[in-house]
Amino acid sequence: MRVVSLVPSLTEAVALTRPEVLVGATDWCNHPAGLDVARVGGSKYPDLDRVRALRPDLVLLNEEENRLADADALRAAGVPVRVTFPRTVPEALTQLGELVAALGVAGEPDWLRAARRAWAAPPAPATPRAAVVPVWRRPWVVLGRDTFAGDVLRRLGVTNRYADHPERYPRPALDELRARAPELVVLPDEPYRFTADDGPEAFPGVPAALVSGRHLTWYGPSLAEAPGLLTAQLATAG
């Protein structure tokens, strides 16, 4: 079996489950450390000629991270594809279980069992808070409705001020963000790399939590660590 992954979190899942089948990944696939496979460009604009040249039996994509046109082009070339699109933690765990089965693995790997245990009883929040959750700036882009990251936060006691927005990733002006009167601003380090000096200053007087974007947005082995790590990072906000 030969697998090419165009989704960083799924690359990590395959690499920790059946590393011998993984033959290609994107330039952004940086977990696990030292991953040594052919690179096929970015998630949004992969080199499909390179993908096909690897003779994959399966290419992994995500409806949000990759382009439908690329999935269609691979299908038209006779390449089997698997497209994921989890919007909740349970959906992610289900789709990961289905991926493991598609890889021909009997039973579940340790990381998936650990992820199921971690999310079966995540840490109880000390104080539930309503937040805005930017994922980009210049322009500002925030989590809206039906996002995986929004569900992760909700399960950890953080409600999203934009959860009822008609768009999944609205682009409100900064004044509008402030007018939502958030009790917390959650700033991940990817896709935009928010830092202590880049992000919190835009929300004066609002507690800011700098969190791991990988643990907030990736669905894969990082799910096992996510509840504990994110809870600790959220607790650092004043």
Side-chain angles (χ1 to χ4, degrees):
M1 189 176 197
R2 297 172 64 82
V3 175
V4 173
S5 174
L6 304 183
V7 187
S9 56
L10 298 184
T11 298
E12 184 179 16
V14 177
L16 294 183
T17 305
R18 285 200 66 192
E20 74 279 5
V21 307
L22 186 65
V23 297
T26 74
D27 299 342
W28 300 106
C29 294
N30 51 16
H31 286 272
L35 184 65
D36 184 17
V37 297
R39 300 294 176 162
V40 297
S43 298
K44 288 296 184 188
Y45 297 97
D47 186 327
L48 296 187
D49 288 336
R50 271 194 251 170
V51 172
R52 288 189 290 265
L54 291 170
R55 298 177 289 107
D57 300 300
L58 182 63
V59 178
L60 305 178
L61 302 97
N62 172 269
E63 189 170 320
E64 190 167 79
E65 296 185 51
N66 308 113
R67 299 185 307 160
L68 179 61
D70 290 332
D72 289 343
L74 289 167
R75 289 191 184 102
V79 178
V81 303
R82 174 177 286 270
V83 181
T84 57
F85 189 27
R87 281 161 283 191
T88 67
V89 171
E91 287 179 1
L93 293 171
T94 295
Q95 292 180 27
L96 288 167
E98 293 169 349
L99 171 61
V100 167
L103 296 175
V105 176
E108 291 189 341
D110 290 344
W111 64 262
L112 184 50
R113 289 196 296 270
R116 291 192 190 280
R117 288 194 301 270
W119 285 102
T127 305
R129 287 181 285 184
V132 294
V133 191
V135 293
W136 202 261
R137 71 180 303 180
R138 305 182 188 94
W140 290 96
V141 181
V142 300
L143 295 185
R145 65 170 181 84
D146 295 336
T147 65
F148 172 74
D151 188 61
V152 166
L153 290 171
R154 182 184 66 79
R155 292 170 188 275
L156 300 178
V158 177
T159 59
N160 179 7
R161 288 288 199 207
Y162 282 84
D164 59 352
H165 196 279
E167 297 177 13
R168 298 185 67 242
Y169 293 97
R171 299 186 174 200
L174 181 57
D175 286 347
E176 181 187 333
L177 286 175
R178 292 169 173 166
R180 290 280 177 133
E183 299 166 317
L184 176 70
V185 57
V186 179
L187 300 169
D189 59 10
E190 64 173 75
Y192 185 92
R193 188 173 181 79
F194 288 104
T195 67
D197 299 318
D198 185 357
E201 80 291 341
F203 300 89
V206 180
L210 297 169
V211 303
S212 166
R214 173 171 167 256
H215 291 86
L216 178 61
T217 64
W218 287 31
Y219 56 103
S222 59
L223 279 173
E225 301 172 347
L229 178 63
L230 291 173
T231 295
Q233 292 175 332
L234 291 167
T236 63

